[in-house]
Amino acid sequence: MGISFFWSRAFLLDRRFLWLLFMVNLIGTIYGYIWYGHQLQVTAATKPGWMLPFVPDSPTASLFFTLALLYLLFPPGRLSKLASASRLVIEALAVVCSVKYGVWAVVMIFAGQAQGDVLNWQHYMLVASHLGMAAEALLYVRFMKARLGALAVATSWLFLNDTVDYTYGVYPYLPNELEDDIVTVKWFTIGLSAASFLCGAMALSFRKRS
């Protein structure tokens, strides 16, 4: 059994592995919302309520992927047009959000370290989990129904999220060392939204060829 087996259809769609992946993502999503708890409280106390959904970026990304896994675990039969469109958008959000925030978190952690932040075991746990987010999204996109149009809709959400984050200051907490680089972080984040769309589009292209 070669290493390629571990990204084969037989392995990735094995129900035992899908359930394991579902539980890992569900637990990670819950942990992520807890991790954002303080920022959510501060935002609720100082900002309009409509900004709250824009605060917890990574756990919302893993929530979308967790929902996408349910479609693989329980393949739906004939769906209405609305339900079918909802599935396409959820899967597209699972892909672009997971790629974006998986990469974003890792870059911010090491950018902070480069400017003097001291990393601990939690940082490395976050690095591993966020790289896993990006990797699983790109591995599973070939089993999803999402198309280019749905990816474009999902990427519009990313750009809206970026606009709210850096206009109203509800972006995720950064290492203290990066607070004076917020303009650079902003443009990197916006560029990463576009790059996530391109990664998703390339993955869809690969799906068609295979």
Side-chain angles (χ1 to χ4, degrees), residues 69-85:
L69 287 173
L70 287 177
Y71 288 117
L72 296 178
L73 283 165
F74 304 101
R78 188 176 181 84
L79 296 175
S80 67
K81 289 184 178 180
L82 179 60
S84 180

Side-chain angles (χ1 to χ4, degrees), residues 6 24 36 38 63 69 79 88 113 124 150 166 172 178-179 187 192 194 197:
F6 294 102
V24 168
Y36 272 92
H38 179 261
L63 173 62
L69 287 173
L79 296 175
L88 296 181
Q113 182 192 37
Y124 292 107
Y166 294 96
L178 296 182
E179 287 294 345
W187 288 111
L192 194 54
F197 171 78

Side-chain angles (χ1 to χ4, degrees), residues 17-173:
F17 185 70
L18 284 174
W19 273 114
L20 174 62
L21 203 59
F22 174 82
M23 293 306 301
V24 168
N25 278 273
L26 179 61
I27 292 170
T29 298
I30 294 170
Y31 172 81
Y33 282 115
I34 293 172
W35 190 88
Y36 272 92
H38 179 261
Q39 188 174 0
L40 285 167
Q41 290 175 355
V42 171
T43 302
T46 61
K47 307 281 187 182
W50 64 264
M51 293 186 189
L52 287 173
F54 297 95
V55 173
D57 295 334
S58 292
T60 301
S62 62
L63 173 62
F64 287 133
F65 189 79
T66 302
L67 293 174
L69 287 173
L70 287 177
Y71 288 117
L72 296 178
L73 283 165
F74 304 101
R78 188 176 181 84
L79 296 175
S80 67
K81 289 184 178 180
L82 179 60
S84 180
S86 297
R87 175 182 183 174
L88 296 181
V89 172
I90 287 172
E91 290 180 339
L93 285 165
V95 174
V96 297
C97 292
S98 295
V99 171
K100 176 185 175 175
Y101 295 116
V103 173
W104 186 91
V106 174
V107 171
M108 292 304 111
I109 287 171
F110 287 119
Q113 182 192 37
Q115 296 195 34
D117 190 24
V118 178
L119 303 190
N120 55 38
W121 68 269
Q122 288 180 312
H123 289 99
Y124 292 107
M125 178 196 70
L126 290 171
V127 167
S129 62
H130 282 79
L131 286 177
M133 282 174 55
E136 67 185 6
L138 293 175
L139 280 173
Y140 276 89
V141 67
R142 61 186 165 127
F143 307 125
M144 298 178 183
K145 302 294 185 182
R147 301 186 182 95
L148 198 61
L151 285 183
V153 171
T155 305
S156 297
W157 163 260
L158 291 183
F159 285 129
L160 175 61
N161 200 346
D162 296 340
T163 301
V164 173
D165 277 359
Y166 294 96
T167 300
Y168 298 101
V170 292
Y171 52 83
Y173 289 153

